[in-house]
Structures are given as structure tokens and as C-alpha cells.
């Protein structure tokens, strides 16, 4: 059987980029059980309420929902259990120090398979205020309207 190549996206947390200013991103491995991997291969997971916490200088992923594997028996996993993240010691120390700062948190951005191994992209982030969220939406709408106007002009020039 050939080994998987490339990156296959499983889940994305679009709400995180809306609610937080992303400062820095990291790729981490995950410690998973067999039924969790099989459930992820079916493309089912939710990162919406997820966050990273540090316990005894180890990074743990909390509140990420990986549904139970339908074919699993008594060996099935619990859907919202905490999962250990695999990071280099320097990355853990740096993230732990930054997470202690006021307003900083670590949130998952995406979950994917990279060359057959489950990986998660986590971000060091700072929470946005309500007016920041409105301004981001306004900028997005303005950019979209400008692109529509330019596309309309290009269509008229071709005709």
C-alpha cells in the first residue's frame, strides 16, 4: 500500500480568525487513539470551542470535538477528551510564556493530515474587541465591493 502524500484538510476554525488577532502560528502533532484517527479519516471534527492549555510544561488541546467512530466498540474514545500536543521544547516554553501575558491565548486554526499523520495548526492570538470585529468586516466588504466594480469594468471593456 502506497504512503499518503500531501495535505488533506479535515476541519478549519474560521471563527478564530474573526475573534482573534493571530500573532504567530505553529504546527503540532497530536497523540490520538485508533478510533480517533479513523473518525478523522472520515473527515469529521469541530475546532470551534478548542483551546490549548499547559500542564506540567506539556501542551494539551481541550474542547475539540472528534465524534465517536461509528464502527468502534467498547474501545471507542470520548468525543471531547483532552489531547496531548507534540511540540519542540523551545516552542512549548515560548508559547507557555506568551500565554501567561494578559489577553493572549492559543487557539486551533486547522486540523489536517500531512503525509498520513494528523497535524494541527495552532495560533498564538490576542482577543479582538467588538469594534475591531466590525472594522474587519467593513474592510472585507469594501474589498469585495471594489473587486466587483473592477470586474464589472473589465466585462464592459471586453464587450
Amino acid at each position: 500500500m502506497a504512503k499518503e502524500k500531501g495535505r488533506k484538510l479535515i476541519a478549519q476554525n474560521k471563527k478564530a480568525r474573526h475573534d482573534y488577532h493571530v500573532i504567530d502560528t505553529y504546527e503540532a502533532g497530536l497523540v490520538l487513539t485508533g478510533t480517533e484517527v479513523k473518525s478523522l479519516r472520515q473527515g469529521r471534527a469541530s475546532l470551534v470551542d478548542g483551546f490549548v492549555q499547559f500542564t506540567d510544561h506539556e501542551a494539551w488541546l481541550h474542547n475539540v470535538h472528534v465524534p465517536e467512530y461509528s464502527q468502534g466498540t467498547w474501545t471507542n474514545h470520548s468525543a471531547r477528551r483532552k489531547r496531548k500536543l507534540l511540540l519542540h521544547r523551545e516552542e512549548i516554553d515560548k508559547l507557555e510564556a506568551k500565554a501567561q501575558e494578559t489577553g493572549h491565548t492559543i487557539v486551533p486554526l486547522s486540523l489536517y493530515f500531512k503525509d498520513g499523520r494528523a497535524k494541527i495548526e495552532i495560533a498564538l492570538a490576542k482577543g479582538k474587541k467588538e469594534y475591531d470585529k466590525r472594522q474587519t468586516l467593513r474592510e472585507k466588504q469594501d474589498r469585495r465591493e471594489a473587486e466587483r466594480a473592477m470586474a464589472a469594468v473589465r466585462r464592459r471593456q471586453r464587450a
Side-chain angles (χ1 to χ4, degrees):
M1 194 166 144
K3 191 174 180 181
E4 276 187 56
K5 293 287 182 196
R7 181 174 160 153
K8 180 189 170 208
L9 186 67
I10 300 165
Q12 229 176 355
N13 189 357
K14 294 179 182 176
K15 188 178 177 195
R17 293 199 188 268
H18 179 263
D19 291 343
Y20 300 97
H21 289 291
V22 174
I23 298 167
D24 204 3
T25 60
Y26 296 89
E27 180 182 69
L30 283 163
V31 176
L32 300 171
T33 63
T35 54
E36 285 175 318
V37 174
K38 289 182 179 196
S39 185
L40 289 176
R41 290 218 184 272
Q42 291 178 339
R44 303 182 327 164
S46 174
L47 303 174
V48 175
D49 296 327
F51 63 94
V52 175
Q53 229 175 20
F54 293 95
T55 308
D56 298 328
H57 303 292
E58 292 180 337
W60 293 88
L61 183 65
H62 293 265
N63 276 1
V64 170
H65 186 268
V66 177
E68 289 186 350
Y69 181 56
S70 57
Q71 310 291 298
T73 57
W74 58 272
T75 59
N76 235 334
H77 62 279
S78 62
R80 287 202 184 267
R81 76 177 187 91
K82 66 179 191 174
R83 295 163 179 91
K84 188 174 180 180
L85 294 179
L86 303 173
L87 290 159
H88 292 283
R89 172 59 47 206
E90 302 87 44
E91 292 175 332
I92 291 173
D93 293 341
K94 184 179 177 183
L95 282 171
E96 192 170 10
K98 288 286 189 177
Q100 297 296 326
E101 293 180 20
T102 308
H104 287 85
T105 186
I106 301 166
V107 293
L109 295 179
S110 61
L111 181 62
Y112 53 91
F113 282 108
K114 182 177 177 184
D115 296 334
R117 299 188 190 277
K119 302 284 184 180
I120 190 158
E121 184 180 27
I122 58 174
L124 176 65
K126 188 172 175 93
K128 282 186 184 178
K129 302 281 189 241
E130 197 62 38
Y131 59 84
D132 288 334
K133 294 177 189 178
R134 285 194 297 265
Q135 184 176 354
T136 304
L137 281 173
R138 197 173 307 117
E139 288 170 359
K140 195 174 183 180
Q141 288 173 342
D142 291 345
R143 200 169 31 253
R144 192 178 297 135
E145 287 174 12
E147 287 173 5
R148 282 186 187 140
M150 288 189 293
V153 168
R154 277 190 237 118
R155 276 195 300 269
R156 276 189 248 129
Q157 288 175 349
R158 278 191 243 138

